[in-house]
Amino acid sequence: MIAPVASWNNYPRQVCTLHRPERYREFSPDVESAIARGLGRSYGDAALNDCGHVFLSERLNRISVFDPERGVLRAEAGVSLDDLLRVIVPRGWFLPVTPGTRFVSLGGAVASDVHGKNHHCDGSFGNYVNSIQLAIPGAGTIDCSPTANPETFWATVGGMGLTGFIGEVELHLRPISSAYVQARHYAATNLEELFRHFSDPDRDAPYTVAWIDCLSAGKRLGRGVLMAGHHAALDELPVEARAKPYDLPAGRALSVPVNLPAWVLNPTCVSLFNGAYFAAQARKRAPFIADYRSFFYPLDNISHWNRMYGTRGFVQYQCVIPQAGAFDAMRKLLERIASSRHASFLAVLKRMGPAGNGMLSFPMPGYTLALDLSLRDPDLFKLLDALDELVIQHGGRVYLAKDARLSAASFRRMYPRYEEWLTVKNKLDPQHRITSSLARRLDIGGAA
Ligand SMILES: Cc1cc2nc3c(=O)[nH]c(=O)nc-3n(C[C@H](O)[C@H](O)[C@H](O)COP(=O)(O)OP(=O)(O)OC[C@H]3O[C@@H](n4cnc5c(N)ncnc54)[C@H](O)[C@@H]3O)c2cc1C
């Protein structure tokens, strides 16, 4: 089927030939130019192939092995993290790393080497993958792991689907005593205080993330709320929940029914929202119990929330800055954004731990900032180009899974292991038949 396709942020929208294979062997056909696509939750063109072929993994969603004694699971790449959680949580296991939405595929989580609120403690998704089955058009299927074909493995983890089609993935899980998290919020009146919270051992927790009001400026620049939590032990649950610690309360589903007009997200509305949100979250000073869905996936409770940005869509700018210059760089980034009056109602700051082995993986030790920005502002890309320069000067990088507009030159300066990755790519796919719009825009692996 030939159709216009976009990913979560609705930009860009490109015409692709879509295939929906039922079996893994059909996932690796003999075509000139193809990319795999999971649940399309990346922001940008990583899962698009303008005028080329796109292979949807959604029907390759079988769980082949789950060992509840050891917490080891093997499943096809198209299974969603939501489906996995429904199977593993009632049996006392959780994902070792999870992004801020559970509606991503297992293959997408590997290809982006996703990180979660626990990156500062546990690293990224690839650290927990035991092995991957990889199909390369015209070259068959290979198995790889940190010990078997390790170069292929670490080029695939974080490789944005450009080394081949991921089939089955085996990973090891995290044991939990309940489906709940004990959470605690710490309000900060500005960026300095927020950084102090992040580095205060008394406020540290296995999971931490901060929401930032990126429209506040001056003395309140970077005001926000650090949200910390850990998987709740049985004795931390309310007495009535202890008998069935893995049962979840029935959720309320909200939805944004249609694309909203662009003016809804103007700076005044967002400023009002931010003020109210800050007050509400800052009020939660005492520890409280939250079910895992509302702690890890607050936005999943509002289906189609991406429609708030209207038909033109939005971009997410996510960068990471190494520890040493992180405060200084974040201050400058927030000053630029606040003074431009580009309203972002979703801005998140997070501490990151050691980098993994993925050659094109995003994380590095330091701080990452992520902002959603509406495409209603015509000069937005100029601002983001200037932010790229600042990020590069501080030794940081932009996240490819969230990117729709970075230049090839900036990509090269941000990803120093690119040449190493390219050597592996050239061996696996010398004709560069596996390609995407992102790959062509950033000149990753050459064009098909
Ligand atoms: C609300 C929200 C919150 C998010 N929070 C986080 C976060 O906290 N941390 C984080 O790291 N990311 C986060 N993300 C980004 C998201 O986790 C990644 O973009 C993830 O890769 C999306 O998975 P997907 O299945 O939707 O993949 P897609 O968007 O379909 O594809 C993403 C990439 O994976 C590749 N891919 C997918 N399936 C396969 C396969 N079977 N074989 C080979 N390659 C494949 C594609 O080619 C593409 O390059 C968030 C996204 C949203 C919408």
Side-chain angles (χ1 to χ4, degrees):
M1 179 177 73
I2 298 178
V5 194
S7 289
W8 185 245
N9 61 324
N10 279 322
Y11 175 86
R13 182 168 293 274
Q14 297 176 341
V15 175
C16 308
T17 304
L18 299 176
H19 305 259
R20 195 172 278 114
E22 301 281 345
R23 302 266 162 243
Y24 184 51
R25 59 176 180 276
E26 301 159 24
F27 204 27
S28 178
D30 220 3
V31 291
E32 282 301 302
S33 152
I35 192 71
R37 179 176 172 94
L39 289 173
R41 259 28 180 218
S42 49
Y43 294 65
D45 50 4
L48 302 180
N49 192 12
D50 199 12
C51 298
H53 297 265
V54 171
F55 285 81
L56 309 176
S57 66
E58 59 199 35
R59 294 205 179 140
L60 308 172
N61 60 356
R62 302 159 191 95
I63 298 178
S64 38
V65 177
F66 171 44
D67 178 346
E69 297 299 314
R70 293 190 305 134
V72 173
L73 180 138
R74 194 172 170 89
E76 287 182 328
V79 71
S80 72
L81 299 190
D82 183 47
D83 286 340
L84 293 182
L85 288 162
R86 286 172 197 274
V87 172
I88 64 176
V89 169
R91 290 161 180 86
W93 296 94
F94 200 70
L95 295 166
V97 167
T98 178
T101 171
R102 60 189 191 276
F103 300 119
V104 309
S105 68
L106 184 54
V110 173
S112 298
D113 193 15
V114 296
H115 56 272
K117 295 178 168 73
N118 57 342
H119 191 274
H120 62 298
C121 295
D122 300 318
S124 52
F125 201 84
N127 291 359
Y128 301 88
V129 175
N130 298 341
S131 62
I132 297 170
Q133 184 189 26
L134 190 70
I136 300 148
T141 302
I142 52 174
D143 291 322
C144 58
S145 74
T147 50
N149 298 313
E151 297 84 14
T152 302
F153 183 82
W154 292 117
T156 300
V157 169
M160 303 311 296
L162 295 168
T163 55
F165 298 133
I166 300 168
E168 280 200 335
V169 176
E170 184 181 291
L171 73 155
H172 50 278
L173 306 168
R174 178 179 306 284
I176 48 172
S177 311
S178 77
Y180 294 84
V181 170
Q182 191 189 73
R184 191 161 188 176
H185 288 181
Y186 303 95
T189 49
N190 56 33
L191 191 66
E192 216 174 333
E193 198 182 348
L194 199 53
F195 266 71
R196 272 206 305 276
H197 284 347
F198 267 117
S199 50
D200 181 346
D202 290 340
R203 286 166 196 202
D204 198 13
Y207 298 102
T208 56
V209 70
W211 168 84
I212 287 197
D213 173 3
C214 68
L215 279 176
S216 46
K219 281 187 192 152
R220 293 195 305 180
L221 181 87
R223 78 168 171 166
V225 180
L226 176 73
M227 300 165 179
H230 61 265
H231 290 287
L234 268 188
D235 59 4
E236 289 171 321
L237 297 184
V239 178
E240 61 281 10
R242 287 182 199 170
K244 292 186 173 174
Y246 299 112
D247 280 8
L248 288 178
R252 271 180 307 148
L254 302 172
S255 177
V256 178
V258 289
N259 284 307
L260 298 187
W263 58 262
V264 170
L265 288 181
N266 67 39
T268 313
C269 292
V270 175
S271 209
L272 286 171
F273 169 86
N274 284 0
Y277 188 77
F278 178 77
Q281 299 307 316
R283 223 175 285 134
K284 297 181 186 167
R285 290 203 193 107
F288 62 97
I289 293 289
D291 68 79
Y292 80 82
R293 287 187 183 159
S294 46
F295 180 79
F296 289 104
Y297 315 112
L299 284 170
D300 286 350
N301 289 335
I302 310 169
S303 56
H304 305 296
W305 64 261
N306 52 346
R307 290 179 180 159
M308 279 191 308
Y309 287 90
T311 46
R312 260 186 273 181
F314 60 110
V315 290
Q316 182 164 111
Y317 190 77
Q318 181 166 6
C319 62
V320 57
I321 308 280
Q323 184 77 36
F327 175 76
D328 191 37
M330 291 300 172
R331 186 174 47 76
K332 287 184 198 151
L333 284 168
L334 288 171
E335 276 168 1
R336 294 292 291 264
I337 293 157
S339 66
S340 73
R341 301 294 287 164
H342 284 286
S344 171
F345 91 103
L346 194 81
V348 167
L349 183 70
K350 154 105 226 87
R351 188 150 66 95
M352 294 198 127
N357 292 326
M359 296 172 197
L360 293 187
S361 290
F362 167 70
M364 62 166 78
Y367 283 82
T368 174
L369 177 70
L371 311 155
D372 282 352
L373 295 155
S374 165
L375 279 168
R376 68 198 256 283
D377 305 300
D379 58 344
L380 176 66
F381 284 6
K382 266 195 232 149
L383 170 76
L384 299 184
D385 289 345
L387 300 190
D388 289 344
E389 208 40 53
L390 211 149
V391 168
I392 290 168
Q393 278 163 17
H394 284 82
R397 62 172 71 117
V398 160
Y399 190 12
L400 299 181
K402 305 281 185 73
D403 175 53
R405 32 65 49 196
L406 190 68
S407 72
S410 296
F411 164 74
R412 294 281 193 285
R413 293 159 75 200
M414 291 176 177
Y415 284 84
R417 295 184 69 189
Y418 170 66
E419 291 300 330
E420 191 188 339
W421 179 88
L422 187 58
T423 308
V424 183
K425 164 83 176 165
N426 285 339
K427 272 193 216 151
L428 295 171
D429 176 29
Q431 291 171 314
H432 295 178
R433 287 155 62 169
I434 306 164
T435 185
S436 64
S437 297
L438 172 122
R440 285 190 291 278
R441 177 168 54 82
L442 299 182
D443 194 19
I444 301 182

